Amino acid sequence: MTIATVPADEIPGAEGVFDTPGRQLLADLVSIPSPSGKEDKATAHLASFFEAQGREAWIDDAGNVRAPGDDSVLLTSHIDTVPGEIPARIEDGDPELAAEGPVLWGRGSVDATGPLAAMAVAAVDTGASFVGVVGEETDSRGARHLLEDREAPEAVINGEPSGWDAITLGYRGIVGGDYTVTTPAGHGARPDANAINHATAWWERVRAAVAAENEGKEAGGFDTITPRATGMEAGPTDDGTAVVASMATRFRVPPSETPDSVRVLVEDSLEAGEIEWGQSIPPQVSSPRGSVPAALRKGIRDAGGEPTHLHKTGTADANLYAAGWDVPVATYGPGDASLDHAPDERLPLAAFDRAVAVLTTACEQLRD
């Protein structure tokens, strides 16, 4: 398998910038569209990077890139991105990010191609185990397959943007459900509630129940439940005999709750219709005194930074690894997380370089 590199002159402003294997890999992957379900070209390129460095690598049945190595730590991040084209380009400096030097713009540069490429380089440099997983932005199918198909490593560093000098210790969980209600068709002048009325009333009851549960907590914070309606379809059936309303919903689950407790809260708001629950991911919180945060803190300090700890309101594959393997887990990677999924996603290359150094030190610490 050969590496089809991205010529520097095809990325505006990139002349002389991609001067290390890591920077070149980052540019290559950012330049290859890889939305969830369409990661094939990116996975092939990532596997070829490891092969070119003399490392065994293959693509498993889920589409993950597997590069086995020293299992004192597994470096893993996701290959997929959210949809949306941001043409790759280099700009010199970025006042908003307080960054000097080249800044790479492009979809995935932050979430999570930057962390992914940094981990790939660190894995090659240290011999650590590596997996690039697919589907994190949708159903985490790559991480779920990994849990079923692989023995637990001794520790996990999961790749997501935290900033090169910060460590993410916790994420909220998530649970999703599809609500459906059907009522007989009737004349619009009748006072009876139809399916659409029932669906909107149910959702308002859910929101009120969640607000009561969150009372006294910071709005939208790490310790709160967040309800989100992600889609709705409603109207008469094709034969005109009934009205149907369906709503797709997702709930972020704080550490004080479980997916099951949130399901109960939502189901208690039902008066008509039913909800079918999908897969869930539990919340995850790591101790700052654990071996993985300690190794990352040393790496950050050695690279000239002062480490900080974060708790994020989103959800990551780290939650699944912590629950499924019961090993030390922390999340780390270059990039400003406020740019996740944003139309101005971009990463200073100096931050990427420092992240590679941090991960290399952390792997060496965990191996000793």
Side-chain angles (χ1 to χ4, degrees), residues 175-273:
V175 59
D178 294 325
Y179 171 84
T180 305
V181 60
T182 303
T183 55
H187 193 280
R190 296 178 59 185
D192 300 337
N194 67 16
I196 301 170
N197 302 135
H198 282 302
T200 54
W202 168 76
W203 186 242
E204 289 308 308
R205 289 194 299 274
V206 168
R207 285 167 52 85
V210 168
E213 194 73 16
N214 289 339
E215 188 173 357
K217 301 175 182 177
E218 178 186 357
F222 183 67
D223 295 324
T224 63
I225 303 168
T226 299
R228 182 73 64 188
T230 59
M232 185 173 184
E233 295 183 2
T237 56
D238 290 341
D239 62 8
T241 62
V243 178
V244 179
S246 62
M247 184 181 295
T249 65
R250 301 181 86 184
F251 301 85
R252 299 288 177 172
V253 182
S256 59
E257 303 282 347
T258 66
D260 281 345
S261 70
V262 171
R263 289 186 186 103
V264 170
L265 180 71
V266 173
E267 289 173 354
D268 283 348
S269 299
L270 286 172
E271 292 182 2

Side-chain angles (χ1 to χ4, degrees), residues 256-308:
S256 59
E257 303 282 347
T258 66
D260 281 345
S261 70
V262 171
R263 289 186 186 103
V264 170
L265 180 71
V266 173
E267 289 173 354
D268 283 348
S269 299
L270 286 172
E271 292 182 2
E274 59 183 10
I275 186 164
E276 181 178 347
W277 295 104
Q279 291 180 317
S280 64
I281 299 176
Q284 181 263 325
V285 180
S286 298
S287 168
R289 293 183 290 275
S291 59
V292 178
L296 288 166
R297 285 195 298 269
K298 176 171 172 49
I300 291 169
R301 292 191 176 104
D302 285 359
E306 185 56 40
T308 57

Side-chain angles (χ1 to χ4, degrees), residues 71-254:
D71 247 8
S72 57
V73 60
L74 170 65
L75 302 179
T76 178
S77 185
H78 61 94
I79 300 168
D80 63 314
T81 69
V82 295
E85 183 179 354
I86 304 174
R89 69 182 190 273
I90 288 288
E91 293 193 358
D92 185 19
D94 193 313
E96 186 178 339
L97 298 178
E100 298 179 356
V103 177
L104 175 63
W105 288 63
R107 175 60 75 214
S109 55
V110 172
D111 186 15
T113 307
L116 176 77
M119 288 187 159
V121 175
V124 167
D125 289 347
T126 64
S129 289
F130 172 91
V131 181
V133 298
V134 295
E136 190 273 348
E137 297 289 2
T138 53
D139 54 9
S140 290
R141 64 186 180 279
R144 294 180 191 277
H145 177 79
L146 199 63
L147 288 167
E148 296 175 355
D149 192 57
R150 187 193 195 281
E151 292 185 359
E154 295 177 31
V156 175
I157 302 178
N158 186 61
E160 293 283 356
S162 58
W164 78 268
D165 56 356
I167 305 157
T168 303
L169 296 178
Y171 286 92
R172 293 190 295 180
I174 194 168
V175 59
D178 294 325
Y179 171 84
T180 305
V181 60
T182 303
T183 55
H187 193 280
R190 296 178 59 185
D192 300 337
N194 67 16
I196 301 170
N197 302 135
H198 282 302
T200 54
W202 168 76
W203 186 242
E204 289 308 308
R205 289 194 299 274
V206 168
R207 285 167 52 85
V210 168
E213 194 73 16
N214 289 339
E215 188 173 357
K217 301 175 182 177
E218 178 186 357
F222 183 67
D223 295 324
T224 63
I225 303 168
T226 299
R228 182 73 64 188
T230 59
M232 185 173 184
E233 295 183 2
T237 56
D238 290 341
D239 62 8
T241 62
V243 178
V244 179
S246 62
M247 184 181 295
T249 65
R250 301 181 86 184
F251 301 85
R252 299 288 177 172
V253 182

